[in-house]
Amino acid sequence: MHKSGFSYNGHRVITCDALTETGLVRHGFSTRKEGAGTGKFASLNLGLFTGDSKENVRQNFALFCHDIGAEPEDLVALKQIHSTTVLSVTQKDIGKVFTEEQFVEADGLVTNEPGVCLTTFYADCTPFLLFDPVCRTVGAIHSGWRGTLGQIVCRAVEAMVQHYGSDSRNILVASGPSIKQCHFEVGQDVYELFLEQFGETATANTLQKGEKFYIDTDAINAHSLEKVGVLQEHIFLNPCCTYCDSETFFSYRRDGETGRMCAMIELI
């Protein structure tokens, strides 16, 4: 796995070099910079269900989509519920982001159709973007600690294999900024769930300080991906901690009421 291989120019968008170099997808992880929001939502808040004004959020979507080359009307988004559900979507699912209708409850999307921009939101949880350049399929995943425990990113790999004939050895996986081990503090109850699920891998990637445990979810997700056949050299983990860098990222754990960032990927 790689904890490098990302490009960022200090503005709105972080990209994974391996995805960019294929020339076959548009993608990006947003920051909180250079948007229309103010106060707690300053400034590139892309959270649809926060206390920010809808006008600001719409403007922010236009800005971010412009930067990665996507169209706001081509987005597909979810009501994220910390599940392990991954849905296959098509052109018929696009364009619902700014309507009042209820989104489908899930935490992952996959597609093999160009022009369908898969979208997930985060403010500490880990966003994953997946791409198979051979079968031309993409995925977008929202993985909090429950998603990591349930190995939702592996469910996305399995969905790409099942629905589109992907070979897991061809799939590129990039994570975006997320809360890192330095601030991902959990109690013994959560740690024991990880221990039950991952055994020695959980032990090796957890630090204990008193009655609190600090888990390296990046390492555990990478381990899970390798178990389902994703090659180590195809796993790209962004090293940025959302909690540590308040200038660049929203963080729910740090700030409570706050904005949301967004990860998008679309086949060209």
Side-chain angles (χ1 to χ4, degrees):
M1 61 184 174
H2 308 268
K3 286 214 172 186
S4 58
F6 292 83
S7 294
Y8 177 53
N9 62 4
H11 299 291
R12 297 188 187 101
V13 184
I14 296 169
T15 55
C16 175
D17 297 338
L19 297 182
T20 301
E21 288 165 4
T22 68
L24 300 172
V25 292
R26 302 180 182 95
H27 80 285
F29 302 96
S30 75
T31 68
R32 69 180 298 171
K33 292 188 174 183
E34 300 180 11
T38 59
K40 296 176 181 178
F41 306 108
S43 62
L44 193 71
N45 173 34
L46 296 166
L48 298 165
F49 304 111
T50 60
D52 202 358
S53 75
K54 289 186 177 181
E55 180 181 347
N56 285 346
V57 176
R58 280 179 176 269
Q59 185 174 342
N60 288 339
F61 267 101
L63 290 167
F64 183 62
C65 286
H66 174 270
D67 284 359
I68 69 169
E71 298 294 335
E73 58 266 28
D74 292 338
L75 306 185
V76 181
L78 297 167
K79 182 179 180 181
Q80 296 171 180
I81 56 171
H82 296 279
S83 69
T84 58
T85 302
V86 178
L87 302 178
S88 175
V89 294
T90 65
Q91 286 279 344
K92 68 180 178 59
D93 298 297
I94 68 173
K96 300 177 182 178
V97 171
F98 301 112
T99 67
E100 295 298 323
E101 65 185 272
Q102 187 78 358
F103 298 156
V104 174
E105 294 185 345
D107 287 85
L109 298 165
V110 293
T111 192
N112 67 344
E113 295 190 11
V116 179
C117 189
L118 308 182
T119 307
T120 63
F121 304 93
Y122 63 105
D124 282 333
C125 296
T126 306
F128 285 100
L129 299 178
L130 300 87
F131 176 47
D132 175 359
V134 178
C135 286
R136 302 284 184 95
T137 65
V138 291
I141 299 299
H142 161 257
S143 181
W145 71 259
R146 292 178 181 84
T148 298
L149 192 67
Q151 302 174 80
I152 186 173
V153 69
C154 298
R155 304 290 84 79
V157 171
E158 291 166 354
M160 292 167 74
V161 172
Q162 177 182 350
H163 294 299
Y164 310 122
S166 289
D167 184 329
S168 58
R169 293 171 295 182
N170 295 327
I171 296 175
L172 309 176
V173 181
S175 74
S178 62
I179 194 167
K180 301 304 180 187
Q181 185 177 26
C182 54
H183 284 100
F184 183 54
E185 174 189 298
V186 300
Q188 185 167 347
D189 55 340
V190 173
Y191 171 63
E192 287 181 353
L193 293 174
F194 276 82
L195 193 60
E196 181 180 354
Q197 178 68 263
F198 300 108
E200 178 56 34
T201 299
T203 303
N205 291 288
T206 301
L207 298 175
Q208 183 176 359
K209 299 179 182 179
E211 296 182 355
K212 298 298 182 181
F213 299 81
Y214 295 79
I215 301 175
D216 185 346
T217 54
D218 278 353
I220 289 175
N221 277 312
H223 172 80
S224 297
L225 284 164
E226 290 180 50
K227 294 284 282 186
V228 294
V230 177
L231 301 180
Q232 186 179 71
E233 58 265 33
H234 288 171
I235 301 170
F236 302 88
L237 302 176
N238 189 287
C240 297
C241 178
T242 48
Y243 191 107
C244 288
D245 189 349
S246 60
E247 292 295 316
T248 309
F249 306 112
F250 296 113
S251 169
Y252 182 80
R253 282 210 178 197
R254 185 187 64 230
D255 300 326
E257 185 180 10
T258 191
R260 297 294 185 273
M261 296 164 295
C262 193
M264 295 183 185
I265 190 165
E266 176 185 3
L267 288 166
I268 296 174

